[in-house]
Amino acid sequence: MAFRGLKYYCSEAFKNIWYNKLMAITSIITVMSCLLIFGFFLVVQLNLNDITKQLEGQCEIQAFMPQEYNDEQAKQVCDKISVLPNVKSAILETRQQAYDNYKDTLGTAANVMENINPEEFLPASCKIRPNDISQLNELEAQVSAIEGVEEVINRRDTVNGVISVNSIIRNGCIIFAVLLALIAVFIISNTIKLDVHARQREIHIMKYVGATDWFIRWPFIIEGIIVGFLGAVVAILITLLISSLLLNALDSFGNIFQFRSSSDTMPLVSVVLLLFGVVIGALGSLVAVRKHLQV
Amino acid sequence: MIIFDNVTKVYDDNKTVALENLSFTVEKGEFVFLVGHSGAGKSSIIRMLLCEERPTSGKVIVNGFDIGTLSQKQIPELRRSLGVVFQDFRLLPNRTVYDNVAFAMHVVGAPTKQIRRRVPEVLSLVDLAHKARAYPSQLSGGEQQRVSMARALANNPSILIADEPTGNLDLKRSDEIMAILDRINQKGTTVVMATHAEKIVNSMQKRVITLDMGALVRDEEKGGYEVGI
Ligand SMILES: Nc1ncnc2c1ncn2[C@@H]1O[C@H](COP(=O)(O)OP(=O)(O)O)[C@@H](O)[C@H]1O
Ligand SMILES: [Mg+2]
């Protein structure tokens, strides 16, 4: 397709859109709605991914030693744990530290602890962070097998919960997006179909004077792409607006989870939405051209 | 230029035999009338020349293209070597006379410079240079048909095909059209025209191929219009 051809195709495409303004606007709004919902899910997904990672970061297993183990013995056990393959960090918590930490949580009621001997209150333990969260079970087994480890506890259930919620949302998002995309493709193809019918006469004449099939098809395909593109641009602007409003509102929760700023997510979201818009538009027009443009 | 060799055309949908064992050839530079009653098969021949229909059996060759086996991709190439004019003009109502003609050149990818030079040329060939900016609705039927002839000629076809071009016109307008067709033919373009306008055929004294129910019944040099009852 030579440049002169491209110019002609685009001008014809814009003429079509102008000629059929109302339908074009309807299609643009449809594409926009689809992409808007998709964009919203995408932003949520990106943040959930982050939160999962943050949770995974917090995920640790704790290996408790017998109550009678002193600091020296506990340190030796912790050292053994730290050289296991999937261990990111292994931090010793001595009996004294465990006692102090517990006391801290009591706040003003801490004085009830005064007569308790730290060496008899809580055992020493080792807090372990894994490199690979999915290998947690194996790590737990390896840690349990080490001599001097009496009990291993973990917070896997919470993390698994978040991970499965995350994947439910992700799958739902994909299904929803595909559904919406199909609707958008249908509506665009309908718009193009109307344009094809409106220009039936012209198409006929073009065929008689020897236009190639693709010469006739291109303006309609470009029309679909323009509609998809415009829908995406509007969707991006609205996503930008909503997500910055929402993030401001959520800022008060900022100390629990770190949300992504929109300047962080928007470049990716914009590219994805533009791509989707263009693909949806092109697909819609291809469907229409195949079905209604017997050239 | 054109070879019909034992051509039969049966339409699939109603099993009508539109053409039956038809054979004739048209040489370069000829002027040929196809005459016959309505339903005799004239338009079927025209559509076959354009590869809108294909022969059921037999062979049709147009400008070296074998219509029976021509691939979908080659059809535009065939049509670029032909110019075609219909009874109902088939102009684009929302484009000027100039643009209606330029359009045909755009479609085949002619350079803008060539379009600017060629369009006035063909418009003056049909005596419409002064109407370049008018819209089809502002023209008489005869003028509209001349625009459609200019469009057919824009890409310098070697054959001009006309299906009842005077069908919607009175005798005076028809004569203007015929004068232009004759002029075009004098310049070397082959002309094939389907018609049942008796007076026109008789006055032109050209080759006449007469059809009846899809069969060739007469083929005469400098013939007249005689289609029987
Ligand atoms: N597309 C078609 N499908 C079925 N039958 C057709 C078609 N076109 C023409 N016919 C039939 O073929 C015969 C010849 O028609 P046509 O070539 O149009 O004749 P003419 O142009 O001489 O009037 C007629 O009987 C007509 O009904
Ligand atoms: Mg006819």
Side-chain angles (χ1 to χ4, degrees):
Chain A
M1 173 166 62
F3 175 71
R4 191 162 45 80
L6 185 65
K7 209 173 111 188
Y8 167 83
Y9 298 139
C10 290
S11 87
E12 291 300 301
F14 276 112
K15 266 187 225 161
N16 274 352
I17 291 173
W18 188 248
Y19 188 76
N20 232 333
K21 289 184 267 307
L22 217 64
M23 265 319 279
I25 290 172
T26 311
S27 326
I28 289 172
I29 291 175
T30 315
V31 175
M32 181 210 73
S33 319
C34 298
L35 293 180
L36 204 55
I37 294 170
F38 183 64
F40 175 74
F41 272 111
L42 202 60
V43 171
V44 169
Q45 185 65 44
L46 285 172
N47 277 299
L48 265 182
N49 272 341
D50 270 19
I51 290 172
T52 313
K53 278 212 194 81
Q54 289 167 35
L55 276 178
E56 280 178 0
Q58 288 168 14
C59 172
E60 51 187 24
I61 53 184
Q62 201 166 4
F64 287 92
M65 291 144 216
Q67 187 68 49
E68 65 272 15
Y69 268 38
N70 62 26
D71 291 0
E72 187 51 41
Q73 290 169 303
K75 190 178 176 308
Q76 280 173 12
V77 175
C78 211
D79 285 345
K80 277 189 206 152
I81 291 171
S82 70
V83 297
L84 289 173
N86 191 22
V87 172
K88 190 167 160 193
S89 67
I91 296 160
L92 175 68
E93 188 178 74
T94 62
R95 290 180 294 194
Q96 184 65 47
Q97 283 164 340
Y99 175 87
D100 291 342
N101 286 345
Y102 188 76
K103 213 168 133 187
D104 284 347
T105 64
L106 294 179
T108 50
N111 51 355
V112 300
M113 301 282 290
E114 257 163 28
N115 294 326
I116 297 174
N117 178 2
E119 293 183 7
E120 289 167 3
F121 177 61
L122 284 172
S125 66
C126 183
K127 290 183 169 173
I128 307 152
R129 292 200 170 168
N131 280 320
D132 179 1
I133 187 111
S134 65
Q135 303 287 312
L136 207 60
N137 284 336
E138 289 80 347
L139 182 60
E140 204 179 321
Q142 288 166 346
V143 171
S144 308
I146 288 173
E147 197 191 329
V149 173
E150 200 170 62
E151 194 190 359
V152 179
I153 62 168
N154 66 49
R155 284 205 258 154
R156 188 174 42 213
D157 292 346
T158 329
V159 175
N160 281 350
V162 172
I163 289 174
S164 70
V165 165
N166 191 356
S167 75
I168 286 169
I169 291 182
R170 175 163 46 221
N171 292 340
C173 166
I174 289 169
I175 291 168
F176 204 53
V178 168
L179 219 72
L180 288 170
L182 286 178
I183 294 171
V185 165
F186 174 76
I187 291 190
I188 289 182
S189 84
N190 220 48
T191 305
I192 308 277
K193 183 181 92 182
L194 289 181
D195 286 337
V196 169
H197 282 302
R199 302 186 74 163
Q200 204 58 264
R201 207 184 159 79
E202 203 163 333
I203 291 167
H204 236 85
I205 295 167
M206 285 163 90
K207 286 193 228 171
Y208 278 126
V209 295
T212 58
D213 293 356
W214 280 105
F215 183 89
I216 296 172
R217 286 178 189 140
W218 271 117
F220 295 106
I221 291 169
I222 290 176
E223 179 185 350
I225 290 175
I226 291 171
V227 165
F229 182 85
L230 291 178
V233 168
V234 180
I236 289 165
L237 293 178
I238 296 179
T239 308
L240 189 61
L241 190 75
I242 291 181
S243 69
S244 64
L245 287 178
L246 214 62
L247 284 173
N248 269 340
L250 284 174
D251 220 24
S252 41
F253 295 103
N255 42 3
I256 302 178
F257 293 120
Q258 193 64 48
F259 288 103
R260 289 222 193 177
S261 71
S262 44
S263 63
D264 184 16
T265 50
M266 277 323 274
L268 176 67
V269 171
S270 306
V271 169
V272 171
L273 292 193
L274 277 179
L275 209 75
F276 264 61
V278 166
V279 168
I280 287 172
L283 271 179
S285 43
L286 274 175
V287 168
V289 162
R290 275 189 70 105
K291 262 173 74 179
H292 305 285
L293 201 75
Q294 254 73 53
V295 285
Chain B
M1 283 265 115
I2 300 171
I3 303 170
F4 269 62
D5 183 16
N6 211 18
V7 175
T8 296
K9 174 69 190 177
V10 183
Y11 286 106
D12 290 335
D13 36 348
N14 54 7
K15 303 282 167 232
T16 310
V17 182
L19 301 174
E20 206 174 358
N21 300 326
L22 189 64
S23 298
F24 66 88
T25 60
V26 177
E27 300 299 333
K28 184 168 165 48
E30 274 194 276
F31 193 123
V32 183
F33 284 116
L34 300 173
V35 304
H37 289 302
S38 177
K42 306 181 294 291
S43 294
S44 297
I45 293 177
I46 300 282
R47 283 200 299 273
M48 220 171 273
L49 295 175
L50 294 165
C51 200
E52 252 187 284
E53 297 288 349
R54 299 188 191 244
T56 309
S57 68
K59 217 174 174 71
V60 177
I61 309 282
V62 180
N63 278 343
F65 295 94
D66 184 339
I67 302 300
T69 60
L70 198 62
S71 75
Q72 203 65 28
K73 262 211 162 88
Q74 284 176 298
I75 292 177
E77 211 182 317
L78 162 75
R79 292 184 181 165
R80 285 172 195 204
S81 72
L82 308 172
V84 59
V85 175
F86 295 97
Q87 180 171 357
D88 57 358
F89 321 141
R90 303 194 188 177
L91 299 177
L92 295 171
N94 52 348
R95 296 191 195 223
T96 62
V97 165
Y98 182 97
D99 285 337
N100 263 283
V101 178
F103 173 73
M105 297 185 72
H106 267 301
V107 162
V108 300
T112 315
K113 229 169 125 182
Q114 192 185 328
I115 295 175
R116 287 211 192 100
R117 190 171 44 86
R118 178 67 178 160
V119 176
E121 206 172 277
V122 281
L123 281 178
S124 57
L125 196 67
V126 298
D127 302 322
L128 277 178
H130 59 295
K131 297 274 187 172
R133 291 189 173 177
Y135 285 86
S137 59
Q138 300 168 319
L139 303 179
S140 73
E143 286 170 330
Q144 289 187 47
Q145 189 59 297
R146 274 144 60 196
V147 176
S148 101
M149 288 169 76
R151 181 181 63 198
L153 293 170
N155 293 321
N156 264 319
S158 58
I159 307 178
L160 184 71
I161 297 164
D163 194 356
E164 315 238 11
T166 60
N168 283 350
L169 305 176
D170 60 36
L171 206 58
K172 181 164 175 290
R173 307 295 181 195
S174 300
D175 283 342
E176 287 168 12
I177 300 293
M178 294 317 297
I180 292 165
L181 280 177
D182 201 24
R183 210 186 303 163
I184 292 162
N185 179 239
Q186 300 292 325
K187 289 190 173 181
T189 307
T190 309
V191 177
V192 176
M193 171 171 160
T195 186
H196 56 241
E198 190 177 340
K199 282 200 174 116
I200 290 172
V201 176
N202 289 336
S203 70
M204 293 287 290
Q205 291 296 302
K206 301 285 187 189
R207 179 178 170 193
V208 179
I209 293 175
T210 309
L211 299 164
D212 186 32
M213 294 176 69
L216 190 151
V217 292
R218 232 184 327 275
D219 183 352
E220 296 174 318
E221 292 298 324
K222 298 187 193 276
Y225 190 91
E226 279 177 72
V227 298
I229 320 130

